[in-house]
Amino acid sequence: TLQSACVESAMVVPSRVARLARLGRSLGGRVSRRTLAVERPVEDSELFTFPRERPGLDYALNWSLNGDGVTPGGDAYRLTKASQAVKLLGGEAPAISGSASPAGEVDEAEFDAALDGAISRLEAAPVLYVPEGDAPSTRLPCRIITDDLPLAASAMGHILEQMPLRQPAELPVTCFVTPAGADFAAFDIFDEEGEERVKIVLAGAQATPPKLKATLELAASKLLKPNEAAEA
C-alpha cells in the first residue's frame, strides 16, 4: 500500500533527515527534523512488495527511530518490559555495580560531532536495542538507542521505570549509547517546536550502566520544572 511504501521510504533513505537537520543547526539555530521533507514514492501500476513485519522488523519503530536521526541498518528491537530484554539476553539482566559521576554539558559543536559519530556507529550495527521507560524517579519518557544488549537489559531491569505502553514515537529524552568509538559522555538540552528535549551521548568506555543512570537522573532534573520534579 502507499502507507507501507511511505514507511519503507524512511528506512532506506540513509539518515537524510537527520543529516539535513544537523546541517540546519550548523547554519544557525535548531531545526526540527519533523519539518524536513522526505521524498515519498508515488502509487502507480507497479506493485510494491515489502517484507512482512516480524520480531526485529517493526516499521512504526523504524519510522520513529528515523525521527531521532537513526536509520537501522539491521534489526531493531523495542523493549518496553524487563522480561523482553531477559528473553533476548537469555538470562537475567546484569545488576548495576559501582557508581559513576554524571556526564555534563559541552560545547554545541563538540556535542554534535560526537552525536554524528555515535549515530554512524549505531546505524552500522547489525542489531539495535531500544529500551523505553520513564527516567529514574520521574514520569519523563525516555528512549535509549544502543547496540549493547547487556546494557539494554540493565537499563530495562535497573534504570528505567515502566511507563504506559504507547505507539513508538520520539520521546523527550533520547540516549545514544554505544561502546564503539572514542570515549565521550555529555548531554544537550535544546528546544524543538517549543518543547525542551534532552539528548545524551555515551560512547566508548563511558557507555556503562552506572554512567547512563547518573546522567539520566541529572539531565531529567534539568528538564523538569521545579513543581514537576517535586511531584515526581
Side-chain angles (χ1 to χ4, degrees), residues 3 40 148 185 208 213:
Q3 181 179 3
R40 300 292 204 272
D148 185 332
T208 66
K213 183 175 186 295

Side-chain angles (χ1 to χ4, degrees), residues 177-225:
V177 185
T178 174
D183 296 351
F184 185 85
F187 67 87
D188 182 37
I189 300 177
F190 64 98
D191 182 271
E192 183 176 274
E193 296 183 354
E195 296 183 4
E196 281 195 326
R197 292 178 177 269
V198 172
K199 290 190 184 299
I200 296 171
V201 175
L202 301 178
Q206 297 294 324
T208 66
K211 194 75 172 184
L212 177 62
K213 183 175 186 295
T215 304
L216 263 176
E217 290 173 340
L218 176 61
S221 71
K222 289 180 174 291
L223 194 61
L224 289 172
K225 296 179 176 61

Side-chain angles (χ1 to χ4, degrees), residues 11 25 47 69 100 109 116 133 185 193 210 220:
M11 296 170 57
R25 288 172 60 175
L47 177 65
D116 284 345
E193 296 183 354

Side-chain angles (χ1 to χ4, degrees), residues 4 30 52 58 67-68 72 76 85 103 123 164 202 210:
S4 296
R30 306 269 179 188
R52 292 180 180 273
D58 180 333
D68 287 321
E123 290 182 333
L202 301 178

Side-chain angles (χ1 to χ4, degrees), residues 2 5-6 39-46 48:
L2 177 59
C6 292
E39 185 178 351
R40 300 292 204 272
V42 178
E43 220 174 23
D44 56 20
S45 59
E46 295 182 6
F48 289 100

Side-chain angles (χ1 to χ4, degrees), residues 71-152:
T71 302
D75 285 352
Y77 293 89
R78 184 188 187 206
L79 307 175
T80 58
K81 297 186 294 186
S83 59
Q84 295 170 325
V86 168
K87 183 177 180 180
L88 286 174
L89 189 63
E92 291 300 316
I96 297 178
S97 59
S99 60
S101 58
E105 297 179 75
V106 297
D107 176 80
E108 185 177 311
E110 181 182 358
F111 183 86
D112 284 350
L115 176 60
D116 284 345
I119 286 176
S120 294
R121 287 184 285 274
L122 290 170
E123 290 182 333
V127 183
L128 293 180
Y129 306 96
V130 188
E132 293 181 351
D134 289 333
S137 303
T138 74
R139 290 295 177 262
L140 191 63
C142 170
R143 164 179 279 181
I144 299 167
I145 307 171
T146 183
D147 52 354
D148 185 332
L149 178 55
L151 183 143

